[in-house]
Amino acid sequence: PAMLNPLLLWFLPLAALPVILHLLNLHRLREVELPTFRFLMEGYVQERSRIRLIEWLLLLMRTALVLLAVTSLSRPVVQRFGNLLGGGGRDVVFVLDAGMSSGMVSEGTSALHRGREAIRGAAARLRPSDFVTLVRAGMEPRVLHRAALGDGKRLDADLDGVEPDPGTSDLAAAVAEGLSGPPRGARSLWVVSDCRQRPWGRLAEDPSRRQVPAEVQVVIVDVGAAAVPDNVAILGDPPRPQRPVVGLPVELVARVEAHASGGGEQAPREVPLSVTVDDELVTQTTVTIPPGQVANVPLAVVPARAGVIKARLDIPADAFPFDDSLLFVLNVERRVGVLVVTAPGVEGLADPGVFLAAALRAPLDSLSSSLADEAPQVEGEERIARSLDVEVVRADLLDERRLQAADVVILADARLDGHRAQWVRKRVEEGAGLVVFPGPKQGVVDEIPGLAPAGGRGGVAARWLEPKGDPDDETSARALGQVDLSHPIFAPFREAATRGGESAARSGAFDTLRIFRHVPLAIPQEDAAGAPAATPAQILARLDDGTPVVAETRLGRGRVVVTGLAVTPDWSNLPVHPSFVPILLRALQTVRPDPPAVAVESVHPYEPAPIRIEERWKRAAVQATDPTGAKTAIETVAGDGRVTGALEDTRRVGYYEFDVQPPAGQQADPIRLGMAVNREVEGAGHERVPPGGLEAA
């Protein structure tokens, strides 16, 4: 069948025009008989039959000429039998496999280069009117050419621009994209690939491959090398540390795989592995890898400065250099400033600052050897302590400058005057953390320093009651009862809970803790007007009689931990108890202020890269810079107390940066965060499709 342009078929009646002209010419002359023309007429009659035949032939030729002109303008397209005798148009779809393995060089050229030349050779046998579609099969399909071939120069330019993608190609999606348009003639599908097992295995499992029409001729062009070279690759995702701090080691685990194509027993490979930070080599080690296995190599990087640190892991380049490096970024924060405020005029063991400073500066040395044997084995205690900058100051010497520089404030038996209490409250409302301990010098019950109502603003949902207990009567000592082991502060004791049950873990960790005097906490559920408390407190620990002694709440943007336990040895043995160091360090980690902006530090190509900003920065301008220096404005959406956005274009491998400018009128420094995009390396081997694999796909 043929498809005609119905609008141009209205000109078909023009074919009757030669017939009308012929009929008009028949009656154009009148017959006049003259004697002198008798001999001429006799000759004309003899030739009349021959002239009529010629006239009818001219009529048919004129009519055929008009019909040919009209049907030619209507552009008929033959759908079947169009290739007979070389007639009809063709619709050719080229799918070029541009996965990461296509960049492997063998026999002097890469598979991608051989694929380009194969398509050029096939296109040279097409006609200019044939319709050509070129699809780049990468991690995401991309149509590069969809038009009549013409002189082929545009197709050549599109082929020259194809480069290997940073991951495994999605052949199924590329085939579906190439066949998505309507056919413009007899259609054929050419899949040009290096025929590696990973992409073809995915194609064989994809249900969309069965949707290729039966009338489409499928041609597979294998441009891969027959021999697979030996290869060593760095696998896995980059390290994603939780809030790296200046001077605090960041633990890394490099996964390196060695692949050998030859058979038989082979010797292990020795591969140098180097770590580069800010373009400076910081460490190098040699990895021994048996063929076909993966070696896990522990490494450590100590950030020397705050800000965006760009780093990478490298092994020597081999036949396939695309998997010989791994990029990662560390968004390093400055050390956590901890300000310890204690009562003036207190010295010796009566000073809580002595015990707090010792616990924060040297957590392992703060315990005696006998107690250290009973201390729980907590991974990360030393890391937290090494990230702290601790300063101890008396309450009467506290100034606003010190408070503004502190990330966490510890008030231990510190009675503050009105101005200093307002300074503390303001700093906590701005986002700083606060930990409060009572003591014998506190003096004022019910008003927790820095948290009491002031200036028409309400306090937090926690109050101190009258102290209870007699330090001189050891028989009245109390112990801890119910403890919220799910809270991060008591996370060090969670492992023991899984071994012996919650009650056994609690008694095992706190059975030697004795509390002779304490300040009970009152946790009101309603404010003074009878409405539910705006910031309800969460009770974390109670005494064995049910009295709350540790609670967490919020004040503005800051987190607050309030305790009823003093850091003095005459009120309890808490300052020298094995549980004190991990509880104190985890409390600081809990109330430590969150950064105003957080971005993902690593994504795979084509994955969105999210960024989250505090709600008070919701009018901030966010801009991303890719490895080429191109900048993209990031749109953000407010919700759930955060402002979120994402960079969608992450197809380029390399380092990215997010720049966050504070809203107009807000006194804050701009924020810069980093991110890395790596190639998607699934393994060191690049095996070819086994026999019969192409037919199965």
Side-chain angles (χ1 to χ4, degrees), residues 674-685:
M675 181 194 70
V677 175
N678 285 280
R679 292 178 173 86
E680 191 179 57
V681 181
E682 300 179 17

Side-chain angles (χ1 to χ4, degrees), residues 554-576:
R554 297 190 70 96
L555 181 63
R557 296 198 309 273
R559 296 186 182 92
V560 181
V561 171
V562 181
T563 74
L565 307 177
V567 191
T568 52
D570 55 340
W571 278 38
S572 71
N573 65 344
L574 177 64
V576 293

Side-chain angles (χ1 to χ4, degrees), residues 230-235 254-260 265-274 285-298 314-316 318 323-324 683-685:
D230 295 345
N231 184 42
V232 179
I234 301 180
L235 309 180
R255 300 177 61 241
V256 185
E257 181 184 2
H259 173 76
E265 185 176 354
Q266 300 185 16
R269 301 280 298 273
E270 292 189 353
V271 181
L273 174 65
S274 60
T285 184
T286 300
V287 185
T288 302
I289 317 169
Q293 297 187 21
V294 178
N296 296 318
V297 186
D314 293 297
I315 58 177
D318 50 22
D323 54 11
D324 295 336

Side-chain angles (χ1 to χ4, degrees), residues 397-461:
L397 300 179
L398 178 63
D399 59 75
E400 193 172 6
R401 178 188 60 81
R402 284 190 174 97
L403 279 173
Q404 290 298 323
D407 298 305
V408 178
V409 179
I410 300 178
L411 299 179
D413 195 15
R415 185 175 181 180
L416 304 178
D417 58 28
H419 290 293
R420 290 184 172 89
Q422 291 181 13
W423 293 344
V424 172
R425 182 188 181 99
K426 178 182 177 182
R427 184 70 187 102
V428 175
E429 289 178 338
E430 292 173 348
L434 178 64
V435 180
V436 186
F437 295 96
K441 299 292 184 179
Q442 187 61 51
V444 179
V445 177
D446 197 49
E447 290 188 5
I448 300 177
L451 306 182
R457 295 172 294 176
V460 297

Side-chain angles (χ1 to χ4, degrees), residues 86-166:
R90 286 174 287 186
D91 187 338
V92 182
V93 178
F94 293 109
V95 174
L96 178 58
D97 188 349
M100 185 171 60
S101 62
S102 67
M104 182 182 298
V105 176
S106 58
E107 303 173 0
T109 60
S110 67
L112 183 60
H113 174 77
R114 295 190 290 271
R116 295 193 196 101
E117 296 306 313
I119 293 178
R120 287 191 176 97
R125 296 192 294 270
L126 300 177
R127 293 172 301 184
S129 60
D130 290 335
F131 199 84
V132 174
T133 301
L134 174 63
V135 183
R136 176 185 178 274
M139 298 181 69
E140 289 188 355
R142 186 179 304 172
V143 177
L144 303 180
H145 185 97
R146 184 169 274 171
L149 178 63
D151 57 7
K153 293 182 178 179
R154 179 184 164 190
L155 179 63
D156 286 341
D158 293 333
L159 284 170
D160 291 335
V162 178
E163 295 295 336
D165 228 14

Side-chain angles (χ1 to χ4, degrees), residues 6 37 52 54 113 136 222 424 447 468 487 509 545 607 696:
F37 287 97
R52 285 183 176 179
I54 294 175
H113 174 77
R136 176 185 178 274
D222 185 357
V424 172
E447 290 188 5
K468 292 184 178 182
H487 194 275
D545 62 355
E607 287 183 354

